[in-house]
Amino acid sequence: MCSNSLFSLVFASILVAASAAASAQTTYSVVAPVQTTYAVVSQAPATPVASISPAEAPKPTAIAKPAPPEPTTFAPSGETLAPSSYQAMFRVDAFTVLNQVASFEASHGEFTMTPDEISLFQDMRSGHATHFSFAEAALITSGVHDSAQRQKYLAQIDEITAGSRDAIANCKTTRAKSRAIMKYLLKGPMKAGYVHGQTLLSVVLDTGTFNCVSSATLFNIVGRRLGIEVGAVSQPGHVFSRIPGYDVQTTSGNIYSSDQRVEHVRKSMEDNHHKLAGYNADRPYHEMSDFGLLGATYGNVAIGEVAEKDNVQGMVDTLKRSSLDPTDPNAGLGVSRLFLTMFNNSLKAHDINTAAALANLYRQIARDPSQGDKMIARLSTASPQVASR
């Protein structure tokens, strides 16, 4: 047996289709991943690796009609690429790696991406929203994969938007409009209050509970529909929205000058005992486009999956996060740690084939392959021990 099938792209056909899906309508402002012609070339593994039989990948969603154009979010400002971001740590884009890691699930006949998710990620790669509005994309990242169910949620968002439009009828400035929208949301659609870890837009609409990610998502959807330029910002342990000149704390409704951002971020970190992690001490935040905010949903979901020891799915959702925002300050480190965790778990389970596949894949995609080299070295001592059992 050999490892080549593990490294094959089980969704290779969808990548070819991506170029045909682009249109002139631009909905999202994207921090695009660095394009690369690097191809993953199989190397001889330290230990023979069992092949994984590929299963048929789901087809991307056909475009019935293009998503209606929305005002574009204003793009993230220039910032230094964090050393622990995906783009800094890996030389193969995260979507390509995602397709390869998904082969672990494919070996069991299960796919970790639905056709609609595939279409969404194609949009990300092309930089054009040809399939979905921002609201529908947010529902997809929240796990609402049934189109009919999404239409019900979208109708609910239409009602929320109408209520917000009434709330801002007498407002003259962007700040005043944003404050009025937040007041309306917190007293109405989000009146059930803050719940830690409640990151899904669909659950906000079902229950009225929210956290920083889901509340920022709802505010940004509504704000954009009402003609407000919106974006998002992540910091250690938190996400909030931004409008030109101001930051909007969507969990509380507070709005303050973006010139005070560093002061507020540092106080928030101190109050909540959050560590700096991959963020820059002088600029402890990361400005995101819409795709980055969608990626934050996957990132929060991945945290819960890893906590439940579902490391494969946690890896898949971390790679989805990295695909949507390869410049996120902590995404690369998260991928690297999960590779090592999955490798260690495979060794403990005496699954040398999977451990070797992970080690070789990491060595091929990382800009610094030293961790992969160390894993390969450990395999040389683990294999005889397993063989003697």
Side-chain angles (χ1 to χ4, degrees):
M1 296 183 179
C2 66
S3 62
N4 290 352
S5 61
L6 177 61
F7 297 122
S8 65
L9 303 184
V10 297
F11 299 145
S13 61
I14 68 172
L15 302 183
V16 177
S19 59
S23 78
Q25 287 186 335
T26 299
T27 301
Y28 299 116
S29 173
V30 183
V31 179
V34 173
Q35 297 299 312
T36 175
T37 57
Y38 174 79
V40 177
V41 179
S42 179
Q43 300 181 18
T47 306
V49 181
S51 62
I52 292 180
S53 300
E56 184 179 355
K59 303 298 183 183
T61 300
I63 305 175
K65 61 179 180 179
E70 296 176 311
T72 54
T73 184
F74 62 109
S77 61
E79 59 184 72
T80 302
L81 187 66
S84 54
S85 67
Y86 183 90
Q87 191 167 301
M89 292 185 67
F90 295 94
R91 54 180 177 164
V92 179
D93 72 85
F95 189 52
T96 300
V97 179
L98 169 61
N99 290 325
Q100 298 188 50
V101 171
S103 62
F104 286 100
E105 294 287 290
S107 66
H108 303 292
E110 299 174 0
F111 284 96
T112 54
M113 296 184 74
T114 66
D116 286 339
E117 279 187 299
I118 292 171
S119 299
L120 174 61
F121 279 78
Q122 287 182 353
D123 284 350
M124 179 277 299
R125 290 173 69 90
S126 69
H128 300 279
T130 55
H131 292 81
F132 310 106
S133 67
F134 179 35
E136 190 167 11
L139 290 168
I140 292 170
T141 59
S142 294
V144 185
H145 301 306
D146 178 74
S147 179
Q149 184 64 27
R150 287 201 303 272
Q151 294 308 310
K152 293 179 181 179
Y153 282 125
L154 290 171
Q156 193 173 345
I157 293 172
D158 289 342
E159 294 177 1
I160 293 171
T161 304
S164 298
R165 182 177 289 108
D166 292 340
I168 67 171
N170 297 320
C171 298
K172 303 300 182 183
T173 67
T174 298
R175 182 180 185 182
K177 291 177 182 179
S178 298
R179 189 181 299 280
I181 292 170
M182 281 309 313
K183 183 177 180 180
Y184 171 78
L185 294 178
L186 289 167
K187 287 189 174 183
M190 300 185 343
K191 64 182 179 182
Y194 179 89
V195 172
H196 179 74
Q198 201 308 82
T199 193
L200 304 181
L201 175 62
S202 56
V203 179
V204 178
L205 300 173
D206 285 336
T207 69
T209 60
F210 60 88
N211 74 349
C212 58
V213 174
S214 53
S215 60
T217 300
L218 182 57
F219 171 80
N220 283 21
I221 289 170
V222 172
R224 270 237 256 121
R225 287 181 169 200
L226 297 179
I228 298 173
E229 274 193 300
V230 290
V233 183
S234 69
Q235 65 173 74
H238 187 51
V239 168
F240 54 91
S241 294
R242 61 193 174 101
I243 59 177
Y246 297 93
D247 291 339
V248 182
Q249 292 291 343
T250 54
T251 54
S252 65
N254 292 334
I255 300 178
Y256 51 81
S257 170
S258 56
D259 292 339
Q260 301 171 348
R261 181 180 296 167
V262 172
E263 174 187 345
H264 282 270
V265 168
R266 287 174 176 166
K267 185 178 187 306
S268 172
M269 289 174 59
E270 181 179 353
D271 292 344
N272 295 284
H273 309 289
H274 289 145
K275 296 181 180 179
L276 193 63
Y279 290 83
N280 187 296
D282 295 326
R283 184 187 168 106
Y285 60 85
H286 169 59
E287 294 186 341
M288 301 184 292
S289 68
D290 290 337
F291 280 126
L293 184 54
L294 297 179
T297 298
Y298 282 126
N300 273 18
V301 169
I303 290 172
E305 290 163 343
V306 172
E308 295 295 324
K309 308 300 183 183
D310 188 356
N311 293 308
V312 173
Q313 189 59 47
M315 171 71 91
V316 166
D317 283 323
T318 300
L319 285 166
K320 289 177 182 178
R321 170 198 185 190
S322 300
S323 297
L324 291 167
D325 186 3
T327 63
D328 180 281
N330 290 318
L333 187 59
V335 171
S336 181
R337 286 174 173 171
L338 277 168
F339 260 101
L340 186 57
T341 297
M342 292 172 63
F343 173 82
N344 288 335
N345 289 344
S346 296
L347 284 186
K348 289 178 182 178
H350 313 307
D351 184 356
I352 299 301
N353 290 345
T354 298
L358 287 163
N360 279 281
L361 178 56
Y362 187 91
R363 186 173 60 180
Q364 293 167 33
I365 65 176
R367 296 188 187 278
D368 176 6
S370 60
Q371 177 171 299
D373 292 337
K374 291 177 182 178
M375 289 190 285
I376 293 293
R378 288 177 60 191
L379 281 170
S380 64
T381 58
S383 299
Q385 294 175 8
V386 174
S388 64
R389 291 179 183 273

